[in-house]
Every structure is written in structure tokens, then in C-alpha cells.
């Protein structure tokens, strides 16, 4: 009799563990199904914040040969205008566009009786919005450029290395103005069209 009771007692725990295992599996299945439903609702935009799935509205790189939807409209161009803008096959994969500042910049040099007078242009590989923003914020950009020029020493203005550093500082200053005002920089480099120290 005692062996029958012992066997009966030994058989009872597996039945309880099977029942517990079934309950755990059912609970996990319900949790998984609930998570799947929640995920599906998030994808459809029914739940969750709209800010989580935010479209990137920043300027995009423009590959050579692609149309730029934000290209500035040229002034005074006739019928063959498109033929003037032909991209080469080599070099960078992205189109380079330039913005030329109309007026010259003149500033005293730091701790010097001399001054610098120069003309500038800026380049970008992004779409035409960057060019439009350069024009739109030219006043603030001019101010930033003059501040950088006033902080340039005479030695920097005369040396090649100094001029290269000045180009980098001017690029950074222009991008800072664009980021502050539009949330995006996009200027790749600044070029000297003329550079005179007097």
C-alpha cells in the first residue's frame, strides 16, 4: 500500500507542472499577440507619436545628371540654357553648385594697420535649397564673414596655409548661420575670387 501511495504522490506533481506550463504558454502567447497588435497599430499611426516617424525634410545630395527640384531659376537665360549645365562623368558623384556673393568684403586685420579686401563664392553638393538660403540669409552671413576676417592676422592673410585655414573658418561661419536659421548648413567650401591685402 505504501508503494501505491508513494507512486500516487509521485504522479501528482507532473500534472500540476503540466497545468502550470500550459498556463505560462497561454500567457506568453497572449502577451505576444498583444505586442503584435500594438506594433501593427503603431505602424498604422493609430497609436504612438507622429514625431516618431518624422520625414527628413533637409536638403539632399544631387547626383550628377539628376534634376534638382529646388534649382534656382536662372535670370536672362534663353532656349539653350540646359545645354550650358553639363556634368562630367568623373570626379565626385554629386553635382557641385556655387553661390557667388555679389559685394566684396573689406575688413581690418587683427592687430595690424593693414586690411583685407576679398570676393567670395561658396559651394554645395546639396539641392538648391542651400543656394536659396545663402541668398535669403546673406546679411547675417556677411556679418559672420566680417567677424572672421577681423579675427585674421596679417601673417595668416599672407601665407598659403593661413588662407586655407581662413577658408575653413569662413565655411564654418556660413554653415553656423544656416544651421541657426534653417536647421541645416550644407556649404562644402568657400573660395576666394579675389584676395588683396593693403
Amino acid at each position: 500500500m505504501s508503494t501505491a501511495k508513494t507512486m500516487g504522490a509521485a504522479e501528482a506533481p507532473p500534472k500540476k507542472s503540466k497545468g502550470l506550463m500550459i498556463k505560462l504558454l497561454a500567457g506568453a502567447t497572449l502577451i505576444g499577440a498583444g505586442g503584435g497588435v500594438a506594433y501593427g497599430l503603431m505602424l498604422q499611426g493609430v497609436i504612438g507619436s507622429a514625431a516618431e516617424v518624422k520625414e527628413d525634410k533637409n536638403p539632399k545630395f544631387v547626383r550628377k545628371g539628376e534634376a534638382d527640384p529646388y534649382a534656382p531659376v536662372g535670370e536672362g537665360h534663353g532656349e539653350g540654357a540646359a545645354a550650358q549645365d553639363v556634368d562630367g562623368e568623373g570626379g565626385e558623384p554629386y553635382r557641385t553648385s556655387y553661390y557667388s556673393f555679389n559685394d566684396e568684403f573689406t575688413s581690418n586685420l587683427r592687430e595690424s594697420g593693414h586690411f583685407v579686401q576679398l570676393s567670395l563664392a561658396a559651394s554645395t553638393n546639396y539641392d538648391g535649397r542651400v543656394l536659396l538660403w545663402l541668398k535669403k540669409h546673406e546679411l547675417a552671413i556677411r556679418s559672420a564673414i566680417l567677424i572672421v576676417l577681423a579675427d585674421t592676422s596679417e601673417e595668416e592673410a599672407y601665407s598659403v596655409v593661413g588662407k586655407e585655414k581662413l577658408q575653413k573658418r569662413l565655411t564654418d561661419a556660413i554653415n553656423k548661420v544656416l544651421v541657426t536659421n534653417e536647421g541645416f548648413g550644407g556649404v562644402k567650401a568657400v573660395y576666394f575670387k579675389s584676395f588683396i591685402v593693403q
Side-chain angles (χ1 to χ4, degrees), residues 4-28:
K5 283 185 182 180
T6 307
M7 285 181 139
E11 290 177 12
K15 287 183 183 178
K16 285 184 181 179
S17 66
K18 275 188 180 179
L20 181 61
M21 183 61 96
I22 290 173
K23 288 179 183 176
L24 286 174
L25 286 174

Side-chain angles (χ1 to χ4, degrees), residues 74-141:
E75 295 177 7
H77 294 292
E79 284 182 21
Q84 294 174 358
D85 188 17
V86 177
D87 296 316
E89 293 182 18
E92 293 186 2
Y94 301 107
R95 178 185 303 165
T96 302
S97 299
Y98 297 94
Y99 179 83
S100 186
F101 292 93
N102 290 328
D103 298 325
E104 292 182 334
F105 296 85
T106 304
S107 175
N108 291 329
L109 293 170
R110 185 182 71 224
E111 300 174 2
S112 171
H114 295 280
F115 66 91
V116 64
Q117 185 176 39
L118 49 88
S119 298
L120 293 176
S123 71
T124 184
N125 295 121
Y126 289 95
D127 63 48
R129 288 179 282 187
V130 174
L131 300 176
L132 296 171
W133 294 340
L134 284 168
K135 183 177 177 95
K136 178 180 175 183
H137 300 292
E138 188 167 342
L139 182 63
I141 291 169

Side-chain angles (χ1 to χ4, degrees), residues 2-89:
S2 66
T3 56
K5 283 185 182 180
T6 307
M7 285 181 139
E11 290 177 12
K15 287 183 183 178
K16 285 184 181 179
S17 66
K18 275 188 180 179
L20 181 61
M21 183 61 96
I22 290 173
K23 288 179 183 176
L24 286 174
L25 286 174
T29 303
L30 286 174
I31 290 173
V37 169
Y39 180 71
L41 291 173
M42 282 176 54
L43 287 178
Q44 292 178 357
V46 174
I47 61 173
S49 171
E52 291 174 10
V53 184
K54 194 173 184 179
E55 181 184 347
D56 182 14
K57 294 186 179 181
N58 288 326
K60 309 287 185 268
F61 283 113
V62 178
R63 290 194 163 275
K64 290 181 177 179
E66 286 182 358
D68 182 354
Y70 298 96
V73 178
E75 295 177 7
H77 294 292
E79 284 182 21
Q84 294 174 358
D85 188 17
V86 177
D87 296 316
E89 293 182 18

